[in-house]
Amino acid sequence: MDQAANLRKLVFEKKSGGESKTRVIVVTSGKGGVGKTSLSVSLSIALAQEGKSVTLVDADLGLANINVVLGIIPKYNLYHVIKGKKKLKDIIIDVPEGIKIIAGASGFHQIANLEQKQRDSFISSMSELSKDDFLIIDTGAGVSQNVLSFVLAAHEVIVVTTPEPTAITDAYGIIKATVAQNSEKPIKLIVNRAQSSAEGKRVAQRVINIAGQFLNVKVESLGFVYDDLYVPKSVRNQKPFIVGYPKSKSSGCVRMIADKITNKESSPVKNGGVASFLKNLMGNKKMEMDD
Ligand SMILES: Nc1ncnc2c1ncn2[C@@H]1O[C@H](COP(=O)(O)OP(=O)(O)O)[C@@H](O)[C@H]1O
Ligand SMILES: [Mg+2]
């Protein structure tokens, strides 16, 4: 089956299923070390605890570290799927916390350069993910073409910042780079490591105001997460804080963010689904989809 047909099949299956489409959410930041991985893992688990099915993809090409936070050692990654050595189901890891993990390594990155046959088999194997409610992609930091390609392909983008001025400036940078290429992309913000609720809100408001004023774009705040010693402690224990310390302040914040994400009132997703994400990722020209 050719790739356009594969994608059509994906779209069709979803439509005929009548359920809501997979929301593909990319978690990114301008500055490194702001908490993307810690938050992606605990947020995915919080969504699973609300009854959602979630696959979390580690797409930080430099440092594949979701596995470290979870204390697992993946043997295979997307690279093996793309090379046709493994099926997607062989590399998905079901973790006891109730989510599925895909180690990205340099996988996704290469999709655009694949030969037709490899791309076809990759797309058809990805169809498995279209059953999920959420596909969350943890990326590296900074405005690289690689990170931007995920950001532009996803249906929603979560930008993580801390109250540090450098992190705020860099968060603005990634928002600006995104808006420059797609002014319609829903951009959401999490302020991590806030010392107080007032600080969390103030920083969020600042980013929202600057983005509104200079980029004419509406950034939505998903909330904040306290600076909390249980977060680094959980990294050392290799157990996500939402599981190890469910009553911690950080866990409470992450549950509120998960509620906000699942709340139907929050900005609706126009074109959900794994197929549309893949289509965006590979570039529309190559796909010749007619939907
Ligand atoms: N809310 C928080 N409170 C305290 N420390 C945090 C918090 N979030 C993240 N950290 C710490 O910051 C460091 C970087 O976090 P990480 O999730 O790896 O960031 P990134 O993925 O953005 O590089 C880790 O040591 C982590 O424990
Ligand atoms: Mg990370």
Side-chain angles (χ1 to χ4, degrees):
M1 203 187 300
D2 68 13
Q3 58 193 2
N6 263 326
L7 272 171
R8 255 179 239 115
K9 190 167 147 251
L10 259 177
V11 174
F12 179 71
E13 273 169 10
K14 216 50 215 171
K15 278 182 183 157
S16 61
E19 331 135 46
S20 65
K21 286 179 171 180
T22 311
R23 280 169 71 176
V24 180
I25 305 182
V26 158
V27 179
T28 193
S29 68
K31 190 173 181 288
V34 295
K36 291 179 298 298
T37 301
S38 311
L39 293 186
S40 304
V41 171
S42 279
L43 183 58
S44 298
I45 295 168
L47 289 167
Q49 289 172 346
E50 292 193 8
K52 304 294 178 193
S53 53
V54 185
T55 296
L56 175 60
V57 178
D58 191 343
D60 187 344
L61 309 184
L63 305 152
N65 50 19
I66 284 175
N67 52 311
V68 178
V69 173
L70 283 160
I72 51 173
I73 304 168
K75 240 167 132 180
Y76 305 105
N77 56 50
L78 272 182
Y79 177 82
H80 298 97
V81 178
I82 285 166
K83 287 286 161 192
K85 297 197 186 329
K86 291 282 157 198
K87 293 261 181 291
L88 196 71
K89 65 175 170 42
D90 303 324
I91 71 153
I92 293 182
I93 303 170
D94 276 296
V95 296
E97 290 83 0
I99 58 170
K100 289 173 285 176
I101 303 292
I102 295 178
S106 55
F108 262 128
H109 175 60
Q110 301 173 346
I111 297 170
N113 307 321
L114 289 179
E115 285 176 17
Q116 169 111 15
K117 204 175 138 222
Q118 287 175 320
R119 200 155 50 200
D120 288 349
S121 76
F122 181 76
I123 291 169
S124 62
S125 68
M126 286 294 281
S127 64
E128 199 163 318
L129 299 179
S130 61
K131 292 180 206 127
D132 286 334
D133 297 312
F134 288 95
L135 181 60
I136 304 213
I137 302 175
D138 177 27
T139 68
V143 188
S144 67
Q145 198 43 57
N146 184 39
V147 170
L148 263 186
S149 65
F150 284 117
V151 166
L152 295 170
H155 311 126
E156 297 159 70
V157 183
I158 296 180
V159 175
V160 180
T161 186
T162 66
E164 270 185 48
T166 45
I168 296 176
T169 311
D170 292 354
Y172 174 74
I174 194 106
I175 294 170
K176 187 176 174 186
T178 305
V179 173
Q181 298 202 38
N182 183 349
S183 58
E184 303 283 296
K185 187 72 57 189
I187 300 173
K188 307 183 178 182
L189 182 77
I190 299 178
V191 177
N192 190 25
R193 309 196 64 168
Q195 300 300 326
S196 64
S197 135
E199 184 183 50
K201 286 173 188 156
R202 181 164 43 80
V203 172
Q205 202 51 54
R206 199 165 144 211
V207 176
I208 289 167
N209 289 348
I210 307 172
Q213 192 177 340
F214 295 104
L215 304 173
N216 198 23
V217 66
K218 201 168 170 287
V219 173
E220 182 193 342
S221 172
L222 287 177
F224 70 93
V225 178
Y226 284 106
D227 190 40
D228 185 353
L229 278 176
Y230 284 121
V231 179
K233 203 169 168 184
S234 305
V235 176
R236 285 197 295 277
N237 298 340
Q238 296 193 298
K239 194 169 184 179
F241 60 85
I242 200 126
V243 176
Y245 304 100
K247 294 198 171 127
S248 63
K249 290 202 295 187
S250 44
S251 295
C253 291
V254 167
R255 274 193 296 272
M256 277 170 68
I257 293 170
D259 284 347
K260 196 150 189 189
I261 289 173
T262 51
N263 180 359
K264 300 254 173 357
E265 300 304 306
S266 113
S267 42
V269 184
K270 277 191 217 134
N271 304 305
V274 173
S276 79
F277 167 68
L278 289 174
K279 185 180 156 199
N280 292 344
L281 197 61
M282 285 179 241
N284 295 330
K285 271 188 231 124
K286 288 191 180 117
M287 299 319 300
E288 296 172 329
M289 280 271 291
D290 49 15
D291 64 342

